[in-house]
Amino acid sequence: MALDIINYLSDNAKSMRRSAIRDLLNVANRPEIISFGGGFPNAVTFPVDDLKEIMNELMNEKPAQILQYGSTEGSVALRKQIAKKYEKEGVKVDIGNILITTASQQALDLISRIFVNPGDTVLCGLPSYLGALQAIWSYQGRPVGIRNDEEAEAVVSALCAVGQKPKFIYAIPDFQNPTGVTMDVKRRQEIIDVARKHDLIIIEDSPYKELRYEGESYPTMYSMAPERVVLLGTFSKTFVPGFRLGWVLAPKEIIDRLIVAKQSADLCTPIFCQEVAARYMEKGYYDRNLQKTIELYRHKRDLMHQYLTEYMPEGVTWTRPDGGLFLLLTMPEGLDARDLFDIAIKENVAFVIGEVFFCDGKGQNTLRLNFSYVSDENMLEGVRRLANAIRKLMEGNK
Amino acid sequence: MALDIINYLSDNAKSMRRSAIRDLLNVANRPEIISFGGGFPNAVTFPVDDLKEIMNELMNEKPAQILQYGSTEGSVALRKQIAKKYEKEGVKVDIGNILITTASQQALDLISRIFVNPGDTVLCGLPSYLGALQAIWSYQGRPVGIRNDEEAEAVVSALCAVGQKPKFIYAIPDFQNPTGVTMDVKRRQEIIDVARKHDLIIIEDSPYKELRYEGESYPTMYSMAPERVVLLGTFSKTFVPGFRLGWVLAPKEIIDRLIVAKQSADLCTPIFCQEVAARYMEKGYYDRNLQKTIELYRHKRDLMHQYLTEYMPEGVTWTRPDGGLFLLLTMPEGLDARDLFDIAIKENVAFVIGEVFFCDGKGQNTLRLNFSYVSDENMLEGVRRLANAIRKLMEGNK
């Protein structure tokens, strides 16, 4: 006799939403399908030989340490390297302000856990990263969306007026997921001013900042307001995702609470992976490989833009990001990316419907395309197939 | 200006409790201190050469796969090996019933997350593993303790009578942490009968079952009631803790909910670590190393018992476990292990006060001793120092 699971579930569990991305990609994992779906880095960027060298080195040097339990806050060596990275950008960082997490998704989870009560609002981009929305929902929080062209003060004031002051502001200022759009300094300052006025914490999710393909980097929001910004970093896009390594840089009093939350969440992140990453940075391999990765992805972004320009039908537009892994494609109003998905799968091409990133339930005519993962040949063929699918959808809608 | 963090915290965060074990051990990390505190495996059991061989092998064979993102449910190869392990015990297991977790602590967290609402009761051992209590508290659950000699039906009925039916029963049937005590089949059956009668889920936390030093193994509670038992396993004690690998074996409808919770908790467990562990098992190294580990720990348990017998003053008793990593030592009533801890630290020996494992706030005269981690020489010297400290405490109390 099967359990009637619904009778046992917590309200949190009932509020959780299964990742539509993962579900879509499960449909799309036939080998003949070209996928612009996931946010996967390209495997040619994985520093396989460097990693072999370092693993063997560390396994000879200190196996008893790297295979044992680690501390909850994370490897001192790795936190020092991360601090150094910020110092190169001119931001002085103490390792006591850094917590290593089991990649960024855990940081999003722990932050939602320590701040969000059921019913609390969180201000986030419209659209915004699904994993962040999932974390907020899983504690029964309510994401409220703000478009990049809306005035932050107006939105926050309106929420405060109805007793729904946001628990925090969630932002991805650089090469946002899913749009690829970057906030300029004026927009960053505007959001910080609003946060200061209303005494709000800002979560600056920053997985792509180092992957800039043109133009100058903007300062992190953390550097502009270190007293209230929680910066999330990750090694998943610039090193390897398979080690699950990320970090939080935040005021000490927030780090302290995150440590307590992490103790009961998973005790500590694999110390083996942390020590390998630390050595990889110490040796200067990280910076070297990052440059190669940037060159590869710049090329892929340009190629994607070129192919979209060549093949997409009239009326379709897309963002042209200065960095990151994604662009957002918009079809004419009235077309639905869910319908497109069904056609596209038959054409053997996949993507993520944009709707899942819109917490207001809109964005039906948008789709997120990843340009880091597929080979150049597949990119051409995939864009052709996608353009065909969009044409078929348009014709069907006439 | 520092943030007044308390103004931002969720009720969950306010309900979290910092691990007293980690805090105690921070005091005790001077090199001259001999520690019976942590639950660390002995580093001589780490299969360093086997691991080097396998890492190099896999990095040559399929680097693009083991360094990429993995699925939330976990590596198919590893889940197959785990299923095989249970099949050897005569329990047929489908890999769809297995979820890989970032070690057991994450399993405890996800289970509390999907089942526990604020104020919900959970039945657990008195004493019981602190990490489980922390997970329950962090969702504002209320652990209710039951001693191994108390009638389960009486306790559950009493709770139901006051509208506090437990959300689940948490049990560590084999070599319990912190007592080292094992439930016999009769006790297992009694708890299952109660769970069936009241329609309760049972969490069978099983980190030590394979580390049996004498006697015959009892069947898992999962094998006795697969429809309602959630079994937690871990590689932290029988392989390496530094990879953070554990698993949940449970009814499919529970696994499905845990997968959704894990998506927002950390997306997936390091696939690199999972694939290494899978290959390690495929090659038969796991079983071989387990035998060596059992022999080592049996010797250490015997030595600990011998030294305690030789050096402990009259009136002090302790459990003699058939397996696992811990024993619980009890001082005469009226003595407080917190006072002992202060004396012991001066004597350069550390342990964990038993009180932290008692959710009813009792157990002041108990302490948990780990016997797997220290060298034989340090065990002798550590027990001498501890016996001295207890004598000093007894004399001070006269």
Side-chain angles (χ1 to χ4, degrees):
Chain A
M1 187 201 63
L3 289 174
D4 192 0
I5 185 71
I6 207 77
N7 295 337
Y8 300 88
L9 293 181
S10 66
D11 296 335
N12 281 340
K14 289 176 191 158
S15 173
M16 286 172 194
R17 305 196 194 176
R18 185 177 274 272
S19 167
I21 297 185
R22 297 232 145 200
D23 285 350
L24 290 173
L25 298 185
N26 279 341
V27 177
N29 67 5
R30 298 199 317 266
E32 62 274 26
I33 290 185
I34 295 173
S35 179
F36 300 124
F40 284 23
N42 198 299
V44 307
T45 68
F46 297 162
V48 180
D49 291 333
D50 294 345
L51 281 176
K52 278 203 298 203
E53 172 194 310
I54 290 170
M55 286 178 195
N56 284 310
E57 211 172 279
L58 291 174
M59 287 292 279
N60 291 333
E61 242 172 67
K62 45 179 180 179
Q65 187 195 323
I66 63 175
L67 300 173
Q68 190 54 276
Y69 286 101
S71 72
T72 303
E73 42 274 57
S75 149
V76 171
L78 183 56
R79 287 185 292 150
K80 277 185 182 163
Q81 288 300 314
I82 292 168
K84 232 171 154 175
K85 215 163 75 71
Y86 288 108
E87 271 163 34
K88 277 190 211 158
E89 299 174 16
V91 188
K92 182 99 185 91
V93 167
D94 184 273
I95 68 162
N97 290 101
I98 298 174
L99 169 71
I100 305 295
T101 56
T102 308
S104 258
Q105 188 62 43
Q106 183 180 53
L108 293 168
D109 177 60
L110 297 179
I111 285 163
S112 300
R113 183 187 300 214
I114 69 163
F115 291 132
V116 176
N117 275 331
D120 279 350
T121 64
V122 173
L123 200 65
C124 63
L126 202 57
S128 193
Y129 175 49
L130 178 62
L133 302 179
Q134 278 186 292
I136 295 161
W137 285 323
S138 82
Y139 296 97
Q140 305 171 62
R142 292 188 297 164
V144 175
I146 172 171
R147 291 195 318 272
N148 212 13
D149 60 357
E150 282 179 310
E151 207 192 318
E153 173 57 29
V155 175
V156 172
S157 290
L159 287 171
C160 290
V162 293
Q164 296 287 352
K165 180 175 151 174
K167 250 354 207 339
F168 56 80
I169 299 175
Y170 173 76
I172 313 167
D174 297 277
F175 323 122
Q176 201 242 22
N177 183 353
T179 61
V181 167
T182 294
M183 288 183 190
D184 61 20
V185 175
K186 194 165 150 264
R187 177 63 167 176
R188 290 172 200 233
Q189 190 61 55
E190 183 198 337
I191 289 174
I192 288 167
D193 290 345
V194 170
R196 284 192 170 138
K197 180 174 167 193
H198 295 274
D199 199 17
L200 301 174
I201 289 166
I202 297 170
I203 311 301
E204 178 181 20
D205 193 2
S206 188
Y208 316 112
K209 187 170 193 296
E210 291 173 293
L211 295 171
R212 174 174 276 281
Y213 315 134
E214 63 185 68
E216 288 258 317
S217 210
Y218 296 113
T220 57
M221 296 176 82
Y222 179 85
S223 70
M224 297 166 74
E227 86 286 1
R228 65 179 61 249
V229 173
V230 178
L231 174 63
L232 312 190
T234 177
F235 288 112
S236 293
K237 313 299 184 185
T238 56
F239 177 44
V240 292
F243 276 12
R244 313 301 298 131
L245 291 175
W247 66 90
V248 180
L249 170 60
K252 191 76 176 67
E253 55 273 26
I254 293 178
I255 293 291
D256 283 346
R257 296 295 176 149
L258 290 173
I259 289 172
V260 177
K262 185 171 164 67
Q263 278 176 355
S264 81
D266 71 357
L267 212 55
C268 57
T269 293
I271 185 72
F272 175 86
C273 300
Q274 294 183 59
E275 291 292 321
V276 171
R279 181 66 57 92
Y280 182 75
M281 294 179 87
E282 281 162 20
K283 290 191 158 196
Y285 294 172
Y286 181 87
D287 291 329
R288 194 184 61 188
N289 196 51
L290 181 61
Q291 283 317 309
K292 285 204 281 188
T293 304
I294 287 172
E295 277 154 40
L296 177 74
Y297 290 173
R298 180 191 295 123
H299 161 75
K300 289 201 176 282
R301 179 208 56 172
D302 291 345
L303 216 55
M304 183 71 133
H305 184 67
Q306 181 194 321
Y307 294 153
L308 290 171
T309 309
E310 282 175 33
Y311 292 99
M312 279 297 149
E314 193 85 36
V316 174
T317 61
W318 55 92
T319 55
R320 188 179 177 281
D322 290 341
L325 307 183
F326 305 109
L327 57 82
L328 195 76
L329 187 136
T330 305
M331 301 187 292
E333 282 289 338
L335 294 184
D336 192 322
R338 283 189 188 269
D339 299 330
L340 178 67
F341 190 83
D342 296 335
I343 301 171
I345 284 296
K346 284 180 204 143
E347 302 272 335
N348 287 329
V349 62
F351 55 84
V352 176
I353 58 169
E355 183 188 332
V356 302
F357 304 100
F358 285 79
C359 64
D360 64 352
K362 300 199 174 145
Q364 275 76 12
N365 60 328
T366 64
L367 31 154
R368 189 190 74 176
L369 300 181
N370 164 273
F371 53 79
S372 62
Y373 183 64
V374 296
S375 68
D376 291 2
E377 301 71 40
N378 278 350
M379 191 182 281
L380 172 60
E381 181 56 28
V383 169
R384 273 185 186 150
R385 291 178 188 173
L386 187 61
N388 270 344
I390 293 180
R391 266 192 205 94
K392 283 190 183 169
L393 180 68
M394 285 173 152
E395 281 157 19
N397 266 48
K398 268 179 195 160
Chain B
M1 188 201 63
L3 290 175
D4 193 359
I5 185 74
I6 206 79
N7 295 336
Y8 300 88
L9 293 181
S10 66
D11 296 335
N12 281 339
K14 289 175 191 159
S15 174
M16 286 172 195
R17 305 197 194 175
R18 185 177 274 273
S19 166
I21 296 184
R22 296 233 145 199
D23 285 350
L24 290 172
L25 297 185
N26 278 341
V27 176
N29 66 5
R30 299 197 319 265
E32 62 272 27
I33 291 185
I34 295 172
S35 179
F36 299 124
F40 284 23
N42 198 300
V44 307
T45 67
F46 297 161
V48 180
D49 291 332
D50 294 344
L51 281 177
K52 278 203 297 202
E53 173 194 310
I54 291 170
M55 286 178 195
N56 285 310
E57 211 171 278
L58 291 175
M59 288 292 278
N60 292 333
E61 241 171 68
K62 45 179 180 179
Q65 187 195 324
I66 63 175
L67 300 173
Q68 191 54 275
Y69 286 100
S71 73
T72 303
E73 42 274 57
S75 148
V76 170
L78 183 57
R79 287 184 291 150
K80 276 185 183 163
Q81 288 302 314
I82 292 168
K84 231 169 153 176
K85 216 164 74 72
Y86 288 108
E87 270 162 35
K88 276 190 213 159
E89 297 174 19
V91 189
K92 183 101 185 90
V93 167
D94 184 273
I95 68 162
N97 291 99
I98 298 174
L99 169 71
I100 304 295
T101 57
T102 308
S104 259
Q105 187 63 42
Q106 182 179 56
L108 293 168
D109 176 61
L110 297 179
I111 285 162
S112 300
R113 184 187 299 214
I114 69 164
F115 292 131
V116 176
N117 275 331
D120 279 351
T121 64
V122 172
L123 200 65
C124 62
L126 203 58
S128 193
Y129 174 50
L130 179 62
L133 302 178
Q134 278 186 291
I136 296 161
W137 285 324
S138 82
Y139 296 97
Q140 306 172 60
R142 293 188 296 164
V144 175
I146 172 171
R147 290 193 320 268
N148 213 12
D149 60 357
E150 282 179 309
E151 206 192 318
E153 173 57 29
V155 175
V156 172
S157 291
L159 286 171
C160 290
V162 293
Q164 296 287 352
K165 179 175 152 174
K167 250 353 210 337
F168 55 81
I169 299 175
Y170 173 75
I172 312 168
D174 296 278
F175 324 122
Q176 200 243 23
N177 184 354
T179 61
V181 166
T182 294
M183 287 183 191
D184 59 20
V185 175
K186 193 164 150 265
R187 178 62 166 177
R188 290 172 201 233
Q189 191 60 55
E190 182 197 339
I191 289 173
I192 288 168
D193 290 345
V194 170
R196 285 191 169 138
K197 179 174 167 193
H198 295 273
D199 198 17
L200 302 174
I201 288 165
I202 297 171
I203 311 300
E204 177 181 20
D205 193 3
S206 188
Y208 317 113
K209 187 170 193 296
E210 291 173 293
L211 295 172
R212 173 173 278 280
Y213 314 135
E214 64 186 66
E216 288 257 317
S217 211
Y218 295 114
T220 57
M221 296 174 82
Y222 179 85
S223 70
M224 298 165 72
E227 87 286 1
R228 63 180 62 250
V229 173
V230 177
L231 173 64
L232 312 190
T234 177
F235 288 112
S236 293
K237 313 300 185 186
T238 55
F239 177 44
V240 292
F243 276 11
R244 313 302 297 130
L245 290 175
W247 67 89
V248 180
L249 171 60
K252 192 75 176 67
E253 56 272 25
I254 293 178
I255 293 290
D256 282 345
R257 295 296 176 150
L258 290 173
I259 288 173
V260 177
K262 185 169 165 69
Q263 278 176 353
S264 80
D266 71 356
L267 212 53
C268 57
T269 293
I271 184 73
F272 175 86
C273 301
Q274 295 182 60
E275 290 292 321
V276 171
R279 182 66 57 91
Y280 182 76
M281 295 178 86
E282 281 163 21
K283 289 190 159 197
Y285 295 173
Y286 181 87
D287 292 329
R288 194 184 61 190
N289 196 51
L290 181 62
Q291 283 317 310
K292 286 204 281 188
T293 304
I294 287 171
E295 277 155 39
L296 177 74
Y297 290 172
R298 179 191 296 121
H299 160 76
K300 288 201 176 281
R301 180 209 57 173
D302 290 343
L303 217 54
M304 183 71 134
H305 184 67
Q306 180 194 323
Y307 293 154
L308 289 172
T309 309
E310 282 175 32
Y311 292 100
M312 279 297 149
E314 193 86 37
V316 174
T317 61
W318 55 91
T319 55
R320 188 179 177 283
D322 290 341
L325 307 182
F326 305 109
L327 58 83
L328 195 77
L329 186 137
T330 305
M331 302 187 292
E333 282 289 337
L335 294 183
D336 192 323
R338 282 189 189 269
D339 300 331
L340 178 67
F341 191 83
D342 297 335
I343 301 171
I345 284 297
K346 283 179 203 143
E347 301 271 335
N348 288 328
V349 63
F351 54 84
V352 177
I353 58 169
E355 184 188 332
V356 302
F357 303 99
F358 286 79
C359 63
D360 64 353
K362 300 198 174 147
Q364 275 76 13
N365 60 329
T366 64
L367 30 153
R368 189 192 74 176
L369 300 181
N370 165 274
F371 53 79
S372 61
Y373 184 65
V374 297
S375 67
D376 291 1
E377 301 71 39
N378 277 351
M379 191 182 282
L380 172 59
E381 181 56 27
V383 169
R384 274 186 184 148
R385 291 178 188 174
L386 187 62
N388 271 344
I390 294 180
R391 264 190 208 92
K392 283 190 183 170
L393 180 69
M394 286 172 151
E395 281 158 19
N397 265 46
K398 269 177 195 161

